[in-house]
Amino acid sequence: MTVLVTAAELLADGGRAVLLDVRWALGDDQGREKYLAGHLPGAVFVDLETELADPPSAAEGRHPLPSLQRLQSTARRWGIRNGDAVVVYDATGGLAAARAWWLLRWGGLPEVRLLDGGLDAWTRAGGRLESGDVVPEPGDVTLTGGGMPVLTIDEAAALPTSGGVLLDARASERYRGEVEPIDPRAGHVPGAVSAPATANLAADGTFLRMTELVDRFVALGVGPRARVGVYCGSGVTAAHEVAALAAVGIEAALWPGSWSQWSADPDRPAATGA
């Protein structure tokens, strides 16, 4: 699976790919304003809260998966047609854009890639920016689904005790239960391994070299034939971890409900500590 595209490769592409700008961060609602101020030429803004998730609920978590039909309708609004290549990016190393990458892959699109290093990598490579909104002609893409594996809450709970590896992509202090800024309880799923998604990135916001990613995941107990699941707070940064694993040839299942779903159920135990 080809996961990443460099800024140099995208510059040489000549504008063939559909570009999606997915600027979002927890507690930051200025993504659209930042997009309007400057984005890759032709890029369409994607609202993570309303377009890459269904409304939140205690039963399903803060960012439940949209239905395949709803995702297809939204992808057509973005201008995606059958056979198109798609490149998604943000300004945070792909931590938000990976959600769009994962969803479109899950929907069945084969050629979706993350811009390695995002907006900063583009400008460092000499790429220009444009301001204002982009409203494309509607596309006709058909999504078939089943493109990426998914875990239910019970499957995630069982993974650590059945020989698999469950990675927690949140910040280490949230995993340890020292802080919890948004979800009902602090802590982590018993048996899960702390694996912050931010550690997939180098200092310049690009992904680590492939050999470094392999070493990172081996150290976390992930082998080439391991059964791997990933969660975070609500299935956003977990998609970044899935992308990093896919980049080195390891398939991992995403648990969409993640900690926001688990912590809302008082009958589910919360582990704390390292």
Side-chain angles (χ1 to χ4, degrees):
M1 182 185 292
T2 303
V3 175
L4 303 174
V5 59
T6 67
E9 290 169 335
L10 188 57
L11 280 165
D13 178 70
R16 291 191 308 108
V18 175
L19 303 178
L20 302 180
D21 185 308
V22 196
R23 269 181 272 185
W24 175 91
L26 190 63
D28 181 359
D29 61 358
Q30 299 299 305
R32 182 168 181 81
E33 287 73 13
K34 294 173 182 176
Y35 160 83
L36 292 171
H39 54 79
L40 271 64
V44 178
F45 180 71
V46 174
D47 188 309
L48 187 145
E49 295 284 350
T50 62
E51 295 184 306
L52 301 182
D54 268 357
S57 72
E60 299 295 331
R62 280 187 281 113
H63 293 116
L65 297 187
S67 69
L68 188 64
Q69 183 179 13
R70 180 168 173 248
L71 180 63
Q72 177 177 281
S73 176
T74 305
R76 290 179 176 183
R77 188 192 67 75
W78 297 332
I80 301 176
R81 305 185 66 83
N82 288 314
D84 277 347
V86 180
V87 174
V88 299
Y89 74 91
D90 56 30
T92 52
L95 291 168
R99 172 74 174 202
W101 170 84
W102 187 90
L103 273 176
L104 290 172
R105 290 275 192 167
W106 169 74
L109 287 190
E111 197 173 349
V112 187
R113 292 172 293 170
L114 277 166
L115 174 57
D116 195 13
L119 192 73
D120 288 343
W122 174 260
T123 55
R124 285 197 303 266
R128 69 179 183 88
L129 300 180
E130 67 177 21
S131 60
D133 204 1
V134 174
V135 181
E137 290 292 323
D140 63 359
V141 69
T142 299
L143 300 182
T144 58
M148 297 290 277
V150 180
L151 288 177
T152 66
I153 188 171
D154 290 328
E155 289 168 339
L159 197 58
T161 58
S162 62
V165 181
L166 183 63
L167 300 179
D168 185 320
R170 297 174 300 159
S172 298
E173 59 269 23
R174 289 184 70 190
Y175 169 88
R176 293 191 297 266
E178 296 166 3
V179 297
E180 182 44 64
I182 192 166
D183 291 320
R185 289 183 291 153
H188 60 266
V189 176
V193 178
S194 180
T198 51
N200 296 322
L201 299 173
D204 65 355
T206 60
F207 277 72
L208 298 173
R209 294 193 298 267
M210 294 301 108
T211 54
E212 293 174 315
L213 283 175
V214 169
D215 290 344
R216 163 170 157 76
F217 291 124
V218 167
L220 293 169
V222 177
R225 288 177 294 278
R227 292 184 294 114
V228 185
V230 187
Y231 76 95
C232 57
S234 62
V236 175
T237 54
H240 193 276
E241 198 95 281
V242 172
L245 287 157
V248 296
I250 299 171
E251 182 182 80
L254 179 75
W255 170 21
S258 287
W259 185 249
S260 59
Q261 181 186 31
W262 183 280
S263 62
D265 183 348
D267 293 329
R268 302 275 182 180
T272 57

